[in-house]
Amino acid sequence: MPIPNRSLVSGTLILAGLVLLLSSGCITAPVSTNLLAQSMAYEPERSKTQIDATVGLRLNYVLSPEVVAQWKRLPLIDDQTIENYRNAVGNTIVADIEKSGIFTRVEPNSPAPDFIVLIWGEERLSPQPMLVVTMQVQDSTKGVISTRRREAQTGATFKDSNVKSVLPSVMAALKTDMITDLLACFARRQEQAAQAQAAAFAKTALPDLLASADPTVAVARERNRAIIAVGNQQLPTMLRDKKADELSALVVKIEQTILDLNHESEVAKDHAQQVAAANGDQRQLDELRGLAICYRERIELLKPIAAALKEESANRNR
């Protein structure tokens, strides 16, 4: 979807209040960006989902000709005040994304971000007064991950306009949509990665399958399945062909892995408890609990393998 060439300005009610101040002589036109930003500032709710990534923001706003004409009929509202307001809206939206904590790094002009968030929209009067905002998320290759649109009805005049009050809810809904689509994208990518990893695991020697941590539950499960399959296929040959010192070295590696797995399982479990206590994202909670379970399962898979290797090594030394 192409980004419109014009810019969205919202918050007509705020501007009407500033008109009163201008008329009273308290301030003079043009109204500064900072003053306009202060008048529409709000504190967004902190996101339960945090994504470790750098996001670049691209903002573009459209004010319909009808709205511009309505503003221009007000006393002391000039083009510079309207332009300052456009900048103020952009600053407010950037602050919303930053304070929400969805991404660890928000850099509006980042040259090489992990994701690009494009935001554009329109405040219009016809066919009915409406604030329309669209948010698109692209990956680093500019592939589109998500495109969502939200709108809210506004008043037809300065007196009954409620743009300032609906902008936070519109942004909150769009952020929820964005997170849903991003997590679905991550899940698909993780599944694809797990399938590719499973194919690689099937060709891997048992000692090289030993690992105390995995990036996702999907990979952890595939590794466990591979240990079962490869272990059953390779263990008899290892017991027959490997030297006693090689068997002993492998036992040491397995027991060290078991020790590390126990630690990682406890860390994941503790982290899950912290997320649950903070009423955090359920998907993150499920992932942490899943990792803890996979690590415990891997310990149980490795114990009999270590025992068989120990027994054979002992028999060789008699």
Side-chain angles (χ1 to χ4, degrees):
M1 179 185 294
I3 299 178
N5 294 326
R6 296 172 297 171
S7 302
L8 164 97
V9 178
S10 59
T12 309
L13 184 60
I14 302 170
L15 198 55
L18 291 170
V19 168
L20 295 177
L21 290 174
L22 285 165
S23 300
S24 68
C26 295
I27 56 177
T28 59
V31 184
S32 72
T33 298
N34 288 341
L35 181 58
L36 289 163
Q38 290 171 12
S39 67
M40 67 176 302
Y42 60 89
E43 193 69 24
E45 182 178 355
R46 189 76 176 174
S47 173
K48 295 179 181 179
T49 301
Q50 285 82 46
I51 298 172
D52 185 12
T54 299
V55 62
L57 295 181
R58 309 289 186 263
L59 303 172
N60 213 320
Y61 309 97
V62 173
L63 181 63
S64 75
E66 294 84 2
V67 174
V68 171
Q70 187 185 65
W71 285 10
K72 289 284 185 76
R73 287 195 291 268
L74 292 172
L76 300 178
I77 295 299
D78 59 8
D79 290 339
Q80 187 60 56
T81 296
I82 294 175
E83 180 63 22
N84 289 348
Y85 192 83
R86 297 164 77 175
N87 293 331
V89 174
N91 293 343
T92 301
I93 291 177
V94 170
D96 184 308
I97 300 296
E98 288 177 337
K99 293 179 180 179
S100 296
I102 298 172
F103 300 99
T104 52
R105 296 170 298 281
V106 178
E107 301 174 8
N109 299 313
S110 174
D114 300 304
F115 300 99
I116 301 171
V117 175
L118 307 173
I119 303 174
W120 65 91
E122 182 177 10
E123 185 184 342
R124 59 181 66 149
L125 291 180
S126 61
Q128 60 181 336
M130 191 72 66
L131 172 66
V132 182
V133 183
T134 301
M135 182 181 292
Q136 183 176 96
V137 182
Q138 300 177 352
D139 60 22
S140 58
T141 66
K142 296 189 177 181
V144 176
I145 295 174
S146 170
T147 301
R148 296 293 194 113
R149 165 176 158 161
R150 291 283 181 163
E151 57 186 40
Q153 192 165 354
T154 60
T157 67
F158 291 113
K159 182 178 179 180
D160 60 6
S161 173
N162 64 337
V163 173
K164 179 179 185 290
S165 62
V166 301
L167 180 60
S169 61
V170 167
M171 287 297 298
L174 283 170
K175 287 181 293 184
T176 298
D177 294 338
M178 175 177 65
I179 290 171
T180 298
D181 292 344
L182 276 170
L183 293 180
C185 177
F186 294 161
R188 291 192 299 271
R189 291 178 178 179
Q190 288 177 0
E191 183 61 29
Q192 293 169 354
Q195 292 173 358
Q197 190 66 74
F201 283 156
K203 303 175 184 178
T204 301
L206 179 59
D208 295 328
L209 284 173
L210 300 178
S212 58
D214 288 296
T216 66
V217 171
V219 172
R221 287 173 177 166
E222 292 301 336
R223 187 185 298 274
N224 286 357
R225 292 190 181 98
I227 288 174
I228 294 173
V230 175
N232 288 334
Q233 295 165 2
Q234 296 180 5
L235 185 59
T237 302
M238 294 170 62
L239 294 174
R240 184 184 66 244
D241 296 342
K242 283 190 175 295
K243 298 178 181 179
D245 58 342
E246 292 176 324
L247 294 175
S248 297
L250 185 53
V251 169
V252 170
K253 185 174 181 180
I254 291 175
E255 290 183 339
Q256 290 173 339
T257 301
I258 289 174
L259 182 65
D260 292 339
L261 283 166
N262 185 68
H263 173 78
E264 293 297 333
S265 177
E266 291 300 314
V267 169
K269 186 167 66 175
D270 290 345
H271 193 182
Q273 291 174 346
Q274 293 171 6
V275 172
N279 194 28
D281 188 348
Q282 184 62 44
R283 287 160 292 204
Q284 183 185 15
L285 183 60
D286 292 342
E287 184 76 8
L288 289 167
R289 287 173 172 170
L291 284 172
I293 292 171
C294 285
Y295 297 155
R296 299 305 303 176
E297 291 173 341
R298 192 172 304 163
I299 289 173
E300 296 307 313
L301 292 174
L302 292 176
K303 282 181 178 178
I305 295 176
L309 293 170
K310 269 187 175 180
E311 182 178 1
E312 179 62 24
S313 179
N315 291 336
R316 298 274 187 90
N317 293 324
R318 287 175 183 171

